[in-house]
Amino acid sequence: ACSLGAQMAAKILAAYPTLWPESVRALMVHAAQWTDCMLQMFLPRGTKPSKNDYQNLVRHCGFGVPDLDRALWSVANSLTMVVEQRLFPFRRETSKTPVYRDIHFHSLPWPLGELEELGESQVEMRVTLSYFVEPNPSERGAASKYRYQSHGLRFDVKRPLETMVDFRIRMNAAARDEEESTYTGGDDPAWIIGKQKRNKGSIHSDIWRGSAADL
C-alpha cells in the first residue's frame, strides 16, 4: 500500500510539479472512493447511515481506494478549487498558553446558473484539508490536543441561510469552544461524517450532500 501510494504521489507531481506535498496528499484522499464491498460491510442496509456508521467506515477503510485519473482530473477540473496558503494559527503572549490567531476565508466560484437550474436535485460537495504537522507548540501533557494534530486546523462552510457575518460569528465561537474544550454549536446534518468526527489528525475530508439550491 505504501509503495502504491508513493507511485501515485510521484505521478501527480510529475503532472503538476508545482503542487505542495500537502496538496498531493489531499488529492490522493480527495480522489479516493469506497468500494461497494466496503460500503456493504460497514454501512447499514435499508436505513440511512449515521455519522457513527461513516466514522466506523473511515476507521477501517480510510477514505477508500485512491484513483489516479480522478486525482489528475480534479486539479484541471473547473469545479475543483485548490488552495495552497500559509497561516499563523497561534500566537503566544509571554509565558501564557498559545491562543488562536489567523483564520482564512475563501469564496467558492459557484456555477450559480447551473445550480439554480438543478433546483432540488441532490448533489455532493467534497472538501479535503491537508496540512503539515509542526512540532508541539505548547507544553501540555501527553493527552494534549496539540500532540498528533499539531496546529489542529479545521474547515467549515457557510450554511444556506447563513449570512457572512453570522458565519464569522459562528467560526469565532467555534475557536473559543476549542480553546476552552467545550462544544456549544450544532453540526450541519448534510455532512456525512460531521465536524465532531472528522477533525482528527492532519488530513480531514468530508462530503456534503443536499439540494443544488442549498449548495
Side-chain angles (χ1 to χ4, degrees), residues 8 46 53 85 100 165 169 202:
M8 183 174 176
D53 293 327
Q85 288 188 335
Y100 288 105
V165 173
I169 292 173
S202 61

Side-chain angles (χ1 to χ4, degrees), residues 54 122 146 172 186 205 208:
Y54 278 107
Q122 294 297 292
Y146 295 107
N172 288 332
S205 190
W208 182 97

Side-chain angles (χ1 to χ4, degrees), residues 26-206:
L27 284 171
M28 293 174 65
V29 170
H30 201 77
Q33 289 184 305
W34 293 300
T35 65
D36 291 339
C37 183
M38 293 174 181
L39 297 174
Q40 292 171 7
M41 184 174 297
F42 294 103
L43 297 186
R45 300 182 182 181
T47 60
K48 182 179 179 180
S50 67
K51 287 178 170 52
N52 285 331
D53 293 327
Y54 278 107
Q55 182 186 35
N56 191 42
L57 173 63
V58 172
R59 182 181 293 119
H60 287 86
C61 305
F63 294 98
V65 179
D67 185 297
L68 178 61
D69 290 336
R70 281 173 54 85
L72 296 177
W73 178 80
S74 289
V75 178
N77 178 21
S78 62
L79 294 181
T80 300
M81 181 176 178
V82 179
V83 178
E84 296 178 320
Q85 288 188 335
R86 293 180 172 88
L87 55 74
F88 296 91
F90 297 107
R91 71 173 182 270
R92 182 193 289 274
E93 298 176 356
T94 63
S95 61
K96 296 180 180 179
T97 300
V99 297
Y100 288 105
R101 174 178 168 180
D102 287 356
I103 182 171
H104 285 180
F105 291 92
H106 303 284
S107 296
L108 303 181
W110 295 118
L112 296 179
E114 288 78 1
L115 289 173
E116 289 172 353
E117 288 182 6
L118 289 172
E120 294 303 312
S121 299
Q122 294 297 292
V123 296
E124 289 186 356
M125 171 183 62
R126 184 164 190 167
V127 179
T128 301
L129 166 67
S130 171
Y131 62 93
F132 176 69
V133 173
E134 293 279 6
N136 183 9
S138 73
E139 296 179 356
R140 300 187 181 192
S144 168
K145 64 183 178 182
Y146 295 107
R147 281 292 179 175
Y148 170 57
Q149 60 185 348
S150 183
H151 289 330
L153 301 188
R154 304 284 186 262
F155 73 80
D156 210 329
V157 178
K158 188 170 74 67
R159 296 173 183 175
L161 301 179
E162 198 171 38
T163 67
M164 194 62 196
V165 173
D166 292 338
F167 182 48
R168 287 176 178 270
I169 292 173
R170 181 162 64 85
M171 292 301 94
N172 288 332
R176 182 193 63 237
D177 290 347
E178 185 82 9
E179 284 187 330
E180 298 175 355
S181 298
T182 60
Y183 176 64
T184 57
D187 201 353
D188 184 349
W191 294 101
I192 65 171
I193 299 174
K195 63 182 179 181
Q196 292 305 300
K197 301 185 183 300
R198 70 177 176 235
N199 293 338
K200 301 179 186 300
S202 61
I203 186 160
H204 309 157
S205 190
D206 206 346

